[in-house]
Amino acid sequence: MAQHSLVVAAILQAQGCPAQVVLQGILHDAPEAYLGDMPTPLKRLLKDYREVEERVWQTVALRFGMPGTLAPEVKQADQLALNAEAHLL
């Protein structure tokens, strides 16, 4: 999880994103530290899980002074990193 987050942040930094967006990249999976890593298809089936995950994210965002909504660049970099990891691993 930590390595993935650093890869996402490195992608964002290489794209010239502002520090605030890079920080979101580092912390985008922070709720997993509290809730565990769960596959996305399973998350979709558990309505309450999504709500709890969102509450944890909002708390992390508030603590680090970030917007509560992830920048679209973070979602793109996350998908790019996931695709590369799936190919390489």
Side-chain angles (χ1 to χ4, degrees):
M1 178 171 70
Q3 182 178 0
H4 168 77
S5 294
L6 292 175
V7 168
V8 171
I11 291 168
L12 294 166
Q13 198 167 30
Q15 292 175 343
C17 292
Q20 186 83 340
V21 174
V22 175
L23 180 59
Q24 279 191 336
I26 292 170
L27 295 172
H28 77 281
D29 280 338
E32 291 178 7
Y34 300 97
L35 304 175
D37 191 7
M38 188 176 298
T40 300
L42 186 54
K43 287 180 187 180
R44 290 183 187 130
L45 297 174
L46 303 172
K47 177 186 68 125
D48 293 338
Y49 179 88
R50 287 293 212 182
E51 182 180 319
V52 172
E53 183 180 50
E54 179 62 23
R55 289 176 63 192
V56 172
W57 170 252
Q58 292 302 322
T59 301
V60 169
L62 179 65
R63 166 61 182 88
F64 287 94
M66 298 181 299
T69 303
L70 281 178
E73 296 90 344
V74 175
K75 293 179 182 182
Q76 293 167 353
D78 183 37
Q79 192 58 56
L80 184 62
L82 288 171
N83 292 344
E85 292 160 3
H87 178 71
L88 295 172
L89 302 175

